[in-house]
């Protein structure tokens, strides 16, 4: 049976989400599940799909958390695990921050290919999440040529 590839695209609210939305043409025609921290973004995702003539994607939210909110991070991780168990994506892609980090780590455990694209805003150094997830991603990218290293991340051009 030849099933269509399923992409899970994950990003926290703000600039990470904006950058993720700019990547949409890369998975046009594939089954997509979006995961973010702001339920209001659902309307934006569905509007993009309607404008592009694509089927409506899946949309899920997890709690917003940062490194100083340990209990919220645990809740966010559990939310990611719950979504991953139900959706079983083939590819997990993120532009950052903590929900993307967790999604790539959990996705890898489920056998998904993983892609991390470090935030364009991090021009002087890699993001903290990017530094921590790099060795766990199948493809680790930066949008700044001077941040690329032989062991990763790779620079393949600035697209966002």
């Amino acid at each position: 049976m030849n099933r269509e590839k399923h992409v899970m695209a994950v990003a926290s609210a703000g600039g990470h989400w904006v950058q993720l939305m700019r990547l949409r043409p890369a998975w046009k025609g594939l089954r997509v599940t979006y995961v973010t921290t702001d339920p209001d973004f659902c309307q934006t995702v569905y509007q993009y799909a309607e404008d592009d003539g694509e089927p409506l994607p899946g949309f899920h939210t997890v709690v917003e958390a940062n490194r100083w909110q340990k209990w919220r991070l645990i809740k966010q991780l559990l939310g990611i695990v719950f979504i991953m168990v139900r959706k079983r994506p083939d590819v997990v892609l993120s532009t950052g921050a903590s929900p993307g980090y967790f999604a790539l780590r959990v996705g890898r455990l489920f056998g998904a290919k993983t892609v991390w694209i470090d935030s364009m805003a991090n021009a002087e150094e890699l993001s903290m999440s990017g530094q921590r997830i790099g060795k766990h991603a199948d493809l680790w990218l930066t949008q700044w040529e001077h941040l690329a290293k032989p062991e990763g991340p790779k620079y393949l051009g600035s697209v966002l």
Side-chain angles (χ1 to χ4, degrees):
M1 182 167 106
N2 190 11
R3 70 178 184 91
E4 106 186 289
K5 292 288 183 190
H6 179 194
V7 174
M8 182 177 286
V10 184
S12 57
H16 297 290
W17 181 257
V18 171
Q19 291 175 33
L20 187 70
M21 290 296 95
R22 290 181 180 162
L23 290 168
R24 285 178 307 100
W27 50 78
K28 186 174 176 119
L30 300 177
R31 191 169 129 227
V32 182
T33 297
Y34 290 96
V35 180
T36 189
T37 57
D38 189 335
D40 291 339
F41 293 164
C42 180
Q43 294 172 337
T44 305
V45 168
Y46 289 161
Q47 181 63 48
Y48 283 138
E50 289 171 1
D51 291 348
D52 292 341
E54 293 284 315
L56 292 180
F59 183 87
H60 300 275
T61 58
V62 293
V63 67
E64 178 66 61
N66 63 48
R67 65 183 173 207
W68 297 285
Q69 300 169 316
K70 303 303 183 202
W71 287 110
R72 290 178 69 89
L73 283 170
I74 292 169
K75 189 173 180 180
Q76 185 179 77
L77 170 61
L78 293 173
I80 293 289
V81 169
F82 181 73
I83 296 165
M84 197 73 62
V85 166
R86 290 182 38 228
K87 298 299 179 180
R88 303 282 180 150
D90 300 299
V91 177
V92 178
L93 178 139
S94 183
T95 52
S98 62
Y101 172 85
F102 288 137
L104 264 67
R105 293 297 305 263
V106 174
R108 192 104 188 245
L109 292 173
F110 281 86
K113 295 293 182 189
T114 57
V115 180
W116 181 272
I117 303 171
D118 210 60
S119 175
M120 189 172 114
N122 295 88
E124 300 303 318
E125 64 182 0
L126 295 173
S127 67
M128 181 174 43
S129 296
Q131 291 174 33
R132 293 182 178 190
I133 197 63
K135 64 184 176 186
H136 304 287
D138 292 307
L139 179 60
W140 180 24
L141 300 172
T142 178
Q143 297 181 76
W144 299 102
E145 189 171 10
H146 65 279
L147 294 179
K149 297 178 181 163
E151 69 277 6
K154 294 179 182 175
Y155 172 79
L156 300 177
S158 181
V159 296
L160 300 178

